[in-house]
Amino acid sequence: MGDPIVKAELFDALARVGKALGSGKRLELLDLLAQSERSVEHLATAAGLGLTTCSAHLQTLRQAGLVATRREGTKIFYRIAGPDVAALYASLRDVAGARNAGAAAARDAYLGGDDTEAVDRAELQRRLAAGHVVAVDVRPAEEYAAGHIPGAVSIPLDQLPERLAELPADVEIVAYCRGANCVLAHDAVRLLTAEGRRAARLADGMLEWRLADLPVAA
């Protein structure tokens, strides 16, 4: 039958991982770390947190085994502990979106209306191979440098208006960003279509691309 005390300890250990995921800000930090390694200072700025609060959240994730660290001089850099953690985060996000009305409503409110064309990964690969599209990575430049879809060009969303001339006017543009809940590609397509360009977005993003074990350039 097994020792009930040891069984309870097992489930308590599992619950500690669940508890580490039980914070919106900690999930946001995992979302950022799924893109690239970052310093505590960078993460605090990107997540809109104070340095002390950010460090406390990261320590909770580290104690649960979800992130790892390295030191460079006086700076500490965090990275996601492995692809299994990225997959856990993506699964949690997808289950919440499918099973929780509040999560689905919040996602739809954040991403905006269903006013942008989306293509899946297989279709993007087909169009890229045929030379029918230009893939544009609209994430911050450091995330592009850490890994991107082969052949994609880096134009962060905040630079897109002044860099439109760098994109061919006669070829469709497919924008992509971090993942299924990332608004950057949605906003990029809205901007591009408002400027008269043919544009679509990848239906998910770099997180799902990596999890599908597709080629990544760096």
Side-chain angles (χ1 to χ4, degrees):
M1 295 292 290
D3 187 330
I5 294 176
V6 176
K7 180 181 179 181
E9 290 173 351
L10 166 61
F11 280 93
D12 285 343
L14 295 174
R16 281 193 287 276
V17 176
K19 185 176 180 180
L21 296 171
S23 158
K25 280 299 180 183
R26 287 197 285 274
L27 292 177
E28 186 177 352
L29 291 171
L30 284 179
D31 187 61
L32 290 166
L33 290 171
Q35 305 300 312
S36 64
E37 178 185 73
R38 298 170 192 251
S39 69
V40 179
E41 293 81 3
H42 193 153
L43 286 165
T45 299
L49 293 168
L51 198 57
T52 301
T53 302
C54 185
S55 294
H57 281 310
L58 290 166
Q59 282 300 312
T60 299
L61 292 170
R62 185 170 182 267
Q63 288 162 9
L66 300 175
V67 300
T69 62
R70 70 174 178 88
R71 184 180 290 273
E72 188 175 295
T74 59
K75 283 194 170 186
I76 297 176
F77 291 82
Y78 280 81
R79 64 186 183 276
I80 205 157
D84 54 342
V85 178
L88 174 63
Y89 164 68
S91 293
L92 186 155
R93 177 204 65 199
D94 292 345
V95 169
R99 302 293 181 181
N100 184 285
R107 175 199 61 210
D108 293 345
Y110 177 61
L111 298 178
D114 186 17
D115 58 346
T116 56
E117 179 190 347
V119 299
D120 62 22
R121 282 170 257 134
E123 178 63 15
L124 175 57
Q125 286 182 295
R126 187 189 69 77
R127 294 188 192 183
L128 284 170
H132 294 164
V133 299
V134 173
V136 178
D137 188 321
V138 295
R139 299 174 299 159
E142 65 272 11
E143 295 179 17
Y144 174 87
H148 55 270
I149 294 173
V153 297
S154 173
I155 304 183
L157 179 63
D158 60 358
Q159 299 176 19
L160 188 56
E162 59 264 29
R163 294 179 62 186
L164 276 176
E166 298 177 26
L167 298 171
D170 57 345
V171 177
E172 184 179 20
I173 298 159
V174 176
Y176 73 90
C177 53
R178 291 168 177 155
N181 283 356
C182 179
V183 75
L184 301 177
H186 290 257
D187 286 346
V189 172
R190 291 176 185 125
L191 189 155
L192 288 163
T193 54
E195 293 292 330
R197 300 297 188 98
R198 289 189 296 131
R201 60 179 173 81
L202 182 60
D204 39 46
M206 202 63 210
L207 170 61
E208 295 81 6
W209 187 276
R210 282 195 173 102
L211 290 175
D213 202 27
L214 293 172
V216 174

